[in-house]
Every structure is written in structure tokens, then in C-alpha cells.
């Protein structure tokens, strides 16, 4: 019995070993394919002529199916626009291999912007025009100017720099291009053209020798740089502190009164002081007033005789300067027969330190154009002179 049992045990073990090896021989080996792609990008921005060439290695004797993310089931795909593409290979009914790639557009051709500019007819006027033409894009176009306008042509413009962004209607992706154009200021003709300040007040001008002056007193409210159309500006920072307006005088040629500090707007350079004047103009210095006086003292310059006040006093003066008796503002308003104008020149002591006083020029019934100095807190009239 023991011999028979031993024999059966040995046979059973042999059978088990045979079964194990037989199963191993029947196990299916799952291949691991290698997927490689070669891409051709679209030839132009928005074009649909890109392609992907797929190569599958390792499944030569294995059936498989191809599924692209764009719905294609072929090995290679073409007629493609820019974008992401993925492929899935399914084989042996369950195994999966994946690969992804991307096609990119070349940079779009910028729109070609051509500007045609008509300058304002007169210095300071807002009757210029910018005409814009576009090529290299797909109509219709949209426009956004730095002024906020959305029209192709910009009208009623003054001298300055203007920018615009133009966007086309390319169905493959809108193309935007920006451009800048400068509208030049026409030549200023003194005596013909008027100066305009940041508040839109216009001041007629007059030539005195080779100088160009405003022919009326200014009434400017805001400092240079103020723009009521710029919502980012804090108006309180631009209001002139030290401007005084008596009753309705600021509505006419009498203008406003300004303290000296207000007029020079903090500038104490001793040279040309723009102060509250528009760009290209300045508060006249003591030397400017001297040159003014010296020219008018000559008989025939600005009128007959050497009497300067007679040539500049009152409306329709022979010189055209038209100094009106606007008085001055101090601890009250003095409205006597005088016109007093600040210069930009401060009175300094022997060591060059401020005395708290500045020079002015005075017109009254006397036959001389007076000069003096007064405390800088007092309010006098302001004339401007072109740089």
C-alpha cells in the first residue's frame, strides 16, 4: 500500500507541474507600442492646412483601432487649424496607448494703419481731423481711440498725440493693431491767435516789439496739467490756491487777482517761470517788463511819444496792451485807478535770501510805468508772455 500511495503522489506532483508550465505557456504577452508624431503647423494665421503624421511601432502583428480627438480614425490627419490634438490606440480589445500634440499658428500679419491728418486752422483751435485707412485685415473693423471715440475718423481735434486700437473680424481670431499719430500745432501768429488755458479761457494776444503778450488779464482756475476729461485726476490738487475773483470781474478782461506764490506755482528758479501759464508761455520776469518798457518809450513804438502808460492804458490803447484799472487784492479789494501786474522776480536780500516780497509793474494816471515790490500774499493781476 505504501508503495502504491507513493507512486500516486509522485504522479500527482508531475501532473501539477505540467499544468503550471502549460498555463505559463498559454499566458498572452501584451505589447507596448511606441507612438511618434511629426507635425506641420498651419501655413498662416487662421489657416486650416496643418497636419499630423502618426507612426505606430510594436503592433505590427496586432490589430488595433485609432481614435483622434477631432473624430478622425485614420493614422494621419490633415486639414487642421491650430489647436491641441490627441490620439488613442486601442488593441487587444482592452489595451490603450495615448499620445498628444499641438499645432500653433504663426504670428498674424498686423493690420496696416495709415493716418491722414488735417491740422487745426489756427493755433489752439479744435478743428483738426484724423482720417484712418486700414489694410491687411478682414472687415468690418472696430476702433477705440485714446479720446474714447469709436469712429474711424476723428474730427474736431486740437494739436496733440492720439492713439487708436483697430480690431478686425478675422473668423479664425480677431487681429488687433495699435497706432499713434501726432497732430501738429500750427504756427502761433501773435496778434491774430489767442492763447487758451487749461480751463478753456481764451486770451487775445498783442506783439510789443519782439515780445508776444496776452492783451487781457488771465482768469485761470486750475494749474497746468488739469484736464476735466481725465477721471484719474483729483481736481482739488489742481485748483489754484491764492486766486481771488471780485464779483463778476473774472468773466471779462479784468480777470482774477493772484498772490505771487499762486502765480509762480512754487517755482523760484530766477529764470523763465511758467507758473500757472500754459506750456510755451510764462510769467514775465522783471527783465521782460524792462524790455517791454524800453521798447514802448521810443516815439512811434506802440503809439506817439515816450509816455508808456498813455500807450497801454485803457481799452483800445494805441499799443493794444489795454491795461485796465483792475486794482489789487490785499486785506480787501482796492479798486482805485491802478493796474498792478506781478513779475516772476522775487526780491532777495543781500545774502540772496527771500524777503517775502516780489517785484510788480504799476499803471496809474502818472506818466511813468511804475515799478515796486510788495508782499507776496497780496493779489495782483497777471499777464503772460510767450517763451
Amino acid at each position: 500500500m505504501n508503495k502504491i500511495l507513493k507512486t500516486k503522489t509522485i504522479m500527482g506532483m508531475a501532473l501539477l507541474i505540467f499544468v503550471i508550465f502549460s498555463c505559463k505557456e498559454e499566458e498572452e504577452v501584451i505589447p507596448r507600442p511606441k507612438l511618434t508624431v511629426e507635425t506641420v503647423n498651419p501655413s498662416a494665421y487662421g489657416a486650416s492646412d496643418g497636419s499630423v503624421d502618426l507612426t505606430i511601432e510594436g503592433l505590427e502583428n496586432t490589430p488595433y483601432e485609432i481614435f483622434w480627438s477631432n473624430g478622425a480614425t485614420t493614422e494621419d490627419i490633415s486639414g487642421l487649424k491650430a489647436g491641441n490634438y490627441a490620439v488613442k490606440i486601442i488593441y487587444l480589445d482592452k489595451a490603450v496607448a495615448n499620445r498628444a500634440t499641438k499645432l500653433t499658428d504663426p504670428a498674424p500679419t498686423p493690420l496696416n494703419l495709415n493716418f491722414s491728418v488735417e491740422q487745426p486752422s489756427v493755433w489752439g483751435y479744435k478743428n483738426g481731423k484724423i482720417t484712418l485707412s486700414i489694410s491687411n485685415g478682414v472687415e468690418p473693423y472696430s476702433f477705440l481711440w485714446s479720446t474714447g471715440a469709436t469712429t474711424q475718423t476723428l474730427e474736431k481735434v486740437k494739436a496733440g498725440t492720439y492713439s487708436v486700437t483697430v480690431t478686425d473680424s478675422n473668423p479664425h481670431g480677431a487681429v488687433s493693431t495699435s497706432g499713434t499719430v501726432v497732430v501738429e500745432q500750427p504756427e502761433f501768429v501773435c496778434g491774430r491767435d489767442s492763447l487758451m488755458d487749461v480751463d478753456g479761457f481764451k486770451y487775445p494776444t498783442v506783439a510789443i516789439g519782439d515780445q508776444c503778450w496776452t492783451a487781457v488779464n488771465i482768469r485761470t482756475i486750475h494749474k497746468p496739467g488739469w484736464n476735466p476729461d481725465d477721471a484719474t485726476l483729483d481736481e482739488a490738487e489742481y485748483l489754484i490756491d491764492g486766486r481771488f475773483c471780485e464779483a463778476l470781474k473774472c468773466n471779462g478782461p479784468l480777470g482774477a487777482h493772484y498772490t505771487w506764490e499762486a502765480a509762480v506755482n512754487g517755482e523760484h528758479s530766477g529764470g523763465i517761470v511758467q507758473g500757472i501759464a500754459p506750456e510755451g508761455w510764462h510769467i514775465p520776469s522783471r527783465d521782460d517788463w524792462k524790455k517791454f518798457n524800453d521798447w514802448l518809450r521810443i516815439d512811434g513804438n506802440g503809439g506817439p511819444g515816450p509816455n508808456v502808460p498813455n500807450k497801454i492804458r485803457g481799452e483800445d490803447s494805441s499799443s493794444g496792451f489795454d491795461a485796465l484799472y483792475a486794482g489789487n487784492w490785499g486785506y480787501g479789494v482796492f479798486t482805485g485807478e491802478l493796474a498792478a501786474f506781478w513779475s516772476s522776480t522775487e526780491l532777495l536780500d543781500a545774502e540772496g535770501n527771500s524777503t517775502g516780497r516780489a517785484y510788480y509793474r504799476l499803471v496809474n494816471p502818472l506818466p511813468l510805468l511804475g515799478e515796486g515790490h510788495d508782499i507776496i500774499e497780496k493779489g495782483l493781476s497777471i499777464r503772460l508772455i510767450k517763451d
Side-chain angles (χ1 to χ4, degrees):
M1 286 293 293
N2 290 339
K3 185 175 181 179
I4 295 172
L5 180 60
K6 185 176 181 181
T7 302
K8 287 183 177 181
T9 300
I10 292 172
M11 291 179 64
M13 291 177 65
L15 178 61
L16 177 61
I17 292 171
F18 174 78
V19 170
I20 291 173
F21 274 98
S22 296
C23 289
K24 285 186 177 180
E25 288 178 0
E26 292 177 2
E27 272 187 9
E28 185 177 13
V29 178
I30 300 177
R32 295 183 177 181
K34 178 183 178 182
L35 308 183
T36 57
V37 293
E38 291 185 6
T39 60
V40 177
N41 290 318
S43 61
Y45 180 78
S48 298
D49 57 359
S51 62
V52 181
D53 185 357
L54 174 65
T55 300
I56 305 170
E57 298 177 276
L59 295 179
E60 289 79 4
N61 299 314
T62 303
Y64 56 83
E65 294 180 283
I66 301 174
F67 300 94
W68 284 95
S69 56
N70 68 341
T73 55
T74 57
E75 186 167 316
D76 302 326
I77 53 177
S78 59
L80 307 177
K81 63 180 182 179
N84 295 310
Y85 296 88
V87 65
K88 180 183 293 186
I89 307 298
I90 300 178
Y91 57 98
L92 299 177
D93 295 328
K94 58 184 176 180
V96 177
N98 297 287
R99 183 64 192 268
T101 190
K102 182 178 182 179
L103 301 185
T104 57
D105 270 332
T109 301
L111 306 179
N112 186 24
L113 309 184
N114 293 296
F115 298 96
S116 177
V117 176
E118 295 179 24
Q119 290 184 346
S121 59
V122 176
W123 192 97
Y125 276 36
K126 295 176 63 175
N127 61 355
K129 182 178 179 180
I130 303 172
T131 302
L132 174 61
S133 59
I134 306 98
S135 58
N136 291 350
V138 179
E139 296 183 7
Y141 303 103
S142 63
F143 307 89
L144 180 59
W145 291 88
S146 51
T147 62
T150 56
T151 55
Q152 183 167 346
T153 299
L154 202 59
E155 298 182 322
K156 296 181 180 179
V157 299
K158 62 180 181 180
T161 301
Y162 299 86
S163 60
V164 63
T165 298
V166 182
T167 304
D168 79 347
S169 298
N170 191 314
H172 305 292
V175 179
S176 293
T177 301
S178 297
T180 300
V181 61
V182 176
V183 178
E184 299 288 350
Q185 189 76 268
E187 181 182 359
F188 189 93
V189 179
C190 191
R192 181 199 71 180
D193 297 339
S194 294
L195 172 66
M196 184 167 64
D197 65 17
V198 293
D199 296 300
F201 298 136
K202 291 184 179 180
Y203 308 107
T205 57
V206 58
I208 304 294
D210 60 1
Q211 298 174 317
C212 185
W213 293 75
T214 55
V216 295
N217 301 338
I218 69 168
R219 46 194 171 122
T220 304
I221 300 171
H222 297 88
K223 300 173 186 177
W226 168 247
N227 181 357
D229 298 324
D230 188 343
T232 65
L233 300 182
D234 181 0
E235 183 178 8
E237 295 181 2
Y238 288 88
L239 286 171
I240 298 173
D241 183 19
R243 174 185 184 268
F244 179 78
C245 194
E246 185 192 6
L248 299 178
K249 287 185 178 179
C250 285
N251 294 335
L254 290 173
H257 292 118
Y258 300 86
T259 64
W260 183 81
E261 281 287 357
V264 300
N265 195 24
E267 296 182 53
H268 295 193
S269 66
I272 292 179
V273 174
Q274 178 183 346
I276 57 174
E279 184 177 356
W281 292 73
H282 63 273
I283 309 297
S285 66
R286 191 182 181 196
D287 288 339
D288 288 328
W289 280 109
K290 182 179 184 303
K291 186 175 181 180
F292 171 92
N293 186 58
D294 289 346
W295 188 83
L296 287 170
R297 288 173 60 187
I298 299 173
D299 184 18
N301 286 355
N307 187 319
V308 175
N310 284 348
K311 297 179 181 182
I312 65 174
R313 189 190 296 115
E315 293 182 275
D316 300 322
S317 63
S318 60
S319 67
F321 189 78
D322 294 359
L324 304 180
Y325 288 155
N328 61 67
W329 168 60
Y331 301 102
V333 178
F334 175 71
T335 57
E337 294 184 335
L338 67 84
F341 306 96
W342 279 126
S343 80
S344 63
T345 307
E346 189 175 11
L347 176 67
L348 304 177
D349 64 18
E351 284 74 38
N353 300 313
S354 173
T355 64
R357 303 176 72 87
Y359 289 96
Y360 66 86
R361 283 289 184 161
L362 177 68
V363 179
N364 57 24
L366 298 177
L368 298 176
L369 179 61
E371 181 185 51
H373 49 76
D374 208 336
I375 57 173
I376 59 178
E377 294 83 10
K378 187 168 286 188
L380 305 183
S381 299
I382 297 292
R383 291 294 180 96
L384 303 178
I385 185 171
K386 196 173 185 299
D387 295 351

